[in-house]
Amino acid sequence: MRHRTSEPLFEPSTITHKDKDTSRDVSVRDSAVAMVPRTPQVRCIEARARAIQGWREDVYIERLRTQRYGPGGHYSHHFDWGANVQGWGRVGSFMVWVDASDDLKGGGT
Protein backbone atom coordinates (compact mmCIF):
# COMPACT_ATOMS: atom_id res chain seq x y z
CA MET A 1 0.00 0.00 0.00
CA ARG A 2 2.84 2.44 0.78
CA HIS A 3 4.09 2.90 -2.75
CA ARG A 4 0.77 3.41 -4.49
CA THR A 5 -1.25 5.07 -1.76
CA SER A 6 1.03 6.72 0.78
CA GLU A 7 4.07 7.84 -1.19
CA PRO A 8 2.62 10.99 -2.77
CA LEU A 9 1.03 11.99 0.57
CA PHE A 10 4.07 11.97 2.88
CA GLU A 11 4.76 15.19 4.80
CA PRO A 12 7.23 15.96 7.59
CA SER A 13 5.86 14.77 10.95
CA THR A 14 4.91 17.33 13.58
CA ILE A 15 4.36 17.29 17.33
CA THR A 16 1.53 18.94 19.25
CA HIS A 17 1.82 20.65 22.62
CA LYS A 18 -1.08 21.26 24.98
CA ASP A 19 -3.81 20.45 22.45
CA LYS A 20 -3.04 23.44 20.22
CA ASP A 21 0.57 24.24 19.29
CA THR A 22 1.72 22.08 16.35
CA SER A 23 5.29 22.34 15.08
CA ARG A 24 8.15 20.42 13.54
CA ASP A 25 10.89 19.51 16.03
CA VAL A 26 13.40 16.92 14.77
CA SER A 27 14.97 16.66 18.22
CA VAL A 28 11.71 15.00 19.34
CA ARG A 29 10.43 13.41 16.13
CA ASP A 30 12.22 12.91 12.81
CA SER A 31 9.97 11.13 10.34
CA ALA A 32 7.36 11.61 7.64
CA VAL A 33 3.66 10.78 7.85
CA ALA A 34 0.91 10.16 5.29
CA MET A 35 -2.80 10.31 6.15
CA VAL A 36 -4.25 7.46 4.09
CA PRO A 37 -7.63 7.93 2.35
CA ARG A 38 -10.43 5.70 3.65
CA THR A 39 -10.63 3.34 0.68
CA PRO A 40 -12.48 0.01 1.02
CA GLN A 41 -9.13 -1.70 1.72
CA VAL A 42 -8.28 0.82 4.47
CA ARG A 43 -11.75 0.45 6.00
CA CYS A 44 -11.12 -3.32 6.13
CA ILE A 45 -7.83 -2.75 8.00
CA GLU A 46 -9.61 -0.34 10.37
CA ALA A 47 -12.37 -2.88 11.02
CA ARG A 48 -9.80 -5.55 11.86
CA ALA A 49 -7.87 -3.20 14.17
CA ARG A 50 -11.14 -2.21 15.86
CA ALA A 51 -12.12 -5.88 16.34
CA ILE A 52 -8.70 -6.90 17.70
CA GLN A 53 -8.94 -4.13 20.30
CA GLY A 54 -12.51 -5.08 21.21
CA TRP A 55 -14.09 -1.82 20.02
CA ARG A 56 -17.68 -1.68 18.74
CA GLU A 57 -18.17 -1.04 15.02
CA ASP A 58 -19.73 2.39 15.68
CA VAL A 59 -16.78 3.72 17.73
CA TYR A 60 -14.90 6.52 15.97
CA ILE A 61 -11.23 5.84 15.25
CA GLU A 62 -8.60 8.17 13.85
CA ARG A 63 -7.63 7.87 10.20
CA LEU A 64 -4.96 5.37 9.29
CA ARG A 65 -1.49 6.83 8.94
CA THR A 66 1.67 5.42 7.48
CA GLN A 67 4.89 6.56 9.08
CA ARG A 68 8.34 6.56 7.51
CA TYR A 69 11.59 6.75 9.44
CA GLY A 70 14.70 7.24 7.32
CA PRO A 71 18.26 6.68 8.53
CA GLY A 72 18.58 8.34 11.93
CA GLY A 73 14.81 8.87 12.14
CA HIS A 74 13.22 8.58 15.56
CA TYR A 75 10.35 9.50 17.86
CA SER A 76 11.47 10.19 21.43
CA HIS A 77 9.76 8.62 24.42
CA HIS A 78 6.44 10.37 24.94
CA PHE A 79 2.94 10.10 26.31
CA ASP A 80 -0.12 10.55 24.14
CA TRP A 81 -2.43 13.03 25.76
CA GLY A 82 -5.85 14.51 25.48
CA ALA A 83 -7.75 17.24 27.23
CA ASN A 84 -11.02 15.50 26.36
CA VAL A 85 -12.02 18.69 24.55
CA GLN A 86 -15.06 18.05 22.35
CA GLY A 87 -14.70 14.34 23.02
CA TRP A 88 -11.07 14.08 21.87
CA GLY A 89 -8.77 11.78 23.75
CA ARG A 90 -6.69 8.86 22.48
CA VAL A 91 -7.52 5.76 24.48
CA GLY A 92 -5.37 3.29 22.56
CA SER A 93 -3.13 2.85 19.53
CA PHE A 94 -2.81 -0.03 17.09
CA MET A 95 0.51 -0.26 15.25
CA VAL A 96 2.09 -2.58 12.74
CA TRP A 97 5.82 -2.43 12.01
CA VAL A 98 6.76 -3.22 8.42
CA ASP A 99 10.31 -3.17 7.06
CA ALA A 100 11.36 -4.25 3.60
CA SER A 101 15.07 -4.46 4.37
CA ASP A 102 16.99 -7.47 5.67
CA ASP A 103 19.17 -5.48 8.05
CA LEU A 104 16.61 -4.03 10.48
CA LYS A 105 18.20 -3.06 13.78
CA GLY A 106 16.35 -1.64 16.76
CA GLY A 107 12.80 -0.42 16.69
CA GLY A 108 10.02 -0.60 19.18
CA THR A 109 6.98 1.11 20.55
Side-chain angles (χ1 to χ4, degrees):
M1 177 170 36
R2 179 181 146 203
H3 176 69
R4 287 179 281 162
T5 304
S6 299
E7 196 62 41
L9 303 174
F10 275 110
E11 296 180 352
S13 297
T14 58
I15 58 172
T16 304
H17 292 286
K18 298 181 182 175
D19 198 24
K20 58 183 169 188
D21 301 327
T22 299
S23 63
R24 177 133 170 87
D25 183 347
V26 296
S27 69
V28 175
R29 183 180 200 173
D30 188 7
S31 62
V33 65
M35 298 290 285
V36 181
R38 281 192 156 136
T39 63
Q41 295 86 352
V42 169
R43 289 187 184 277
C44 179
I45 293 168
E46 290 174 342
R48 288 180 181 189
R50 196 181 278 117
I52 288 168
Q53 295 176 92
W55 296 109
R56 295 183 326 263
E57 289 183 25
D58 63 337
V59 171
Y60 169 80
I61 61 173
E62 294 178 56
R63 284 179 52 197
L64 180 70
R65 296 170 177 83
T66 56
Q67 197 79 31
R68 177 173 55 201
Y69 294 90
H74 66 277
Y75 196 176
S76 299
H77 180 78
H78 69 285
F79 293 96
D80 285 343
W81 53 270
N84 209 14
V85 174
Q86 298 176 354
W88 186 91
R90 184 175 291 153
V91 178
S93 297
F94 185 86
M95 299 176 158
V96 177
W97 183 291
V98 179
D99 185 1
S101 70
D102 292 331
D103 60 348
L104 175 65
K105 294 178 183 162
T109 59

